[in-house]
Amino acid sequence: MASPRGAVVFDIDGTLLDSVDQHARAWVEAFAHFGIQAEEAEVRRQIGKGGDQLLPVFVDPDRLAREGETIEAYRSDLFKRRYLDQVRPFPGVRALLAHLREDGLTVALASSGKASEVEHYQKILGIEDLVDAVTSADDADRSKPHPDIFEAVLRKIPDCPKESVIAVGDTPYDAEAAGRAGLATIGVLCGGFPEADLSAAGCIAIYRDLQDLLDGYAQAPFSVKKL
């Protein structure tokens, strides 16, 4: 176990894993199956939220109450069957996490995905041995941009002072959720959100991807000298 001197909490989809397009397509197909029209670009802008926050953008309240769980279950199954095999790690993921652990930092994951998906993602990423704590939508009443998931991960790393914990994410929803939990966020552009959106959501630094973050490690806000 890493030292309690600090921690870095990573989002997964769009941050560690190149999976945003696949999630967007699964949602579009799921909506179409239920007769709901949604443009892929519109759905893509909502990826980073959990289903509880994404569905209300496209489904009216009455229908959401009746069929929301059914639509989400269909989407989840569709993603696993058709798209999960297509997702790939972004460059530099394992190397960065290993570097953080070598510096004595705790590594955690905080995803809006379901626990079963997050477990599988760790295998795809090959990082199971580098992660100290994991939270998913199953640990929170509300998904991002609400703070519940980050508050849950903080409870799992109680020895790490909150002021020494920093989040890394690719969406404004990550930064908003982390901020509401009292954490700063490093943004990455590999998920497809514009830099301006990440800055407006409160990201304190922005990098192209995790390889870029690793390359600039000595100056990054989570370097040991700054925690």
Side-chain angles (χ1 to χ4, degrees), residues 36-216:
I36 301 165
Q37 298 302 310
E39 295 294 329
E40 186 173 324
E42 295 177 1
V43 175
R44 201 184 194 286
R45 286 192 288 270
Q46 302 299 320
I47 301 299
K49 298 177 178 179
D52 63 311
Q53 301 299 310
L54 187 150
L55 278 163
V57 177
F58 301 97
V59 183
D60 69 73
D62 289 341
R63 187 170 188 186
L64 183 62
R66 294 194 312 270
E67 298 182 77
E69 291 184 4
T70 302
I71 296 171
E72 163 62 6
Y74 182 89
R75 191 280 321 167
S76 179
D77 180 67
L78 176 67
F79 178 78
K80 291 172 185 174
R81 287 188 290 105
R82 188 169 298 175
Y83 293 106
L84 185 57
D85 288 344
Q86 299 177 19
V87 305
R88 297 291 183 270
F90 284 118
V93 172
R94 182 173 174 85
L96 176 60
L97 269 59
H99 202 338
L100 292 167
R101 290 290 297 272
E102 288 168 6
D103 270 351
L105 300 177
T106 294
V107 171
L109 305 178
S111 171
S112 289
K114 296 183 179 300
S116 59
E117 295 175 353
V118 173
E119 181 178 359
H120 190 69
Y121 287 163
Q122 290 183 76
K123 295 177 182 177
I124 294 174
L125 291 160
I127 59 172
E128 297 131 298
D129 59 318
L130 299 176
V131 175
D132 298 299
V134 179
T135 55
S136 67
D138 297 27
D139 297 299
D141 292 332
R142 303 168 299 175
S143 66
K144 303 168 188 174
H146 294 286
D148 303 33
I149 289 169
F150 287 105
E151 291 171 347
V153 82
L154 287 172
R155 289 193 293 272
K156 292 190 177 186
I157 52 172
D159 292 335
C160 295
K162 182 184 289 190
E163 60 272 15
S164 70
V165 179
I166 194 162
V168 180
D170 69 298
T171 76
Y173 316 122
D174 294 314
E176 291 166 13
R180 290 169 181 168
L183 307 180
T185 301
I186 295 172
V188 288
L189 299 171
C190 45
F193 275 88
E195 184 171 354
D197 289 3
L198 298 180
S199 294
C203 289
I204 62 170
I206 298 174
Y207 294 81
R208 290 191 306 274
D209 53 23
L210 292 202
Q211 184 62 56
D212 187 32
L213 191 47
L214 178 60
D215 292 343

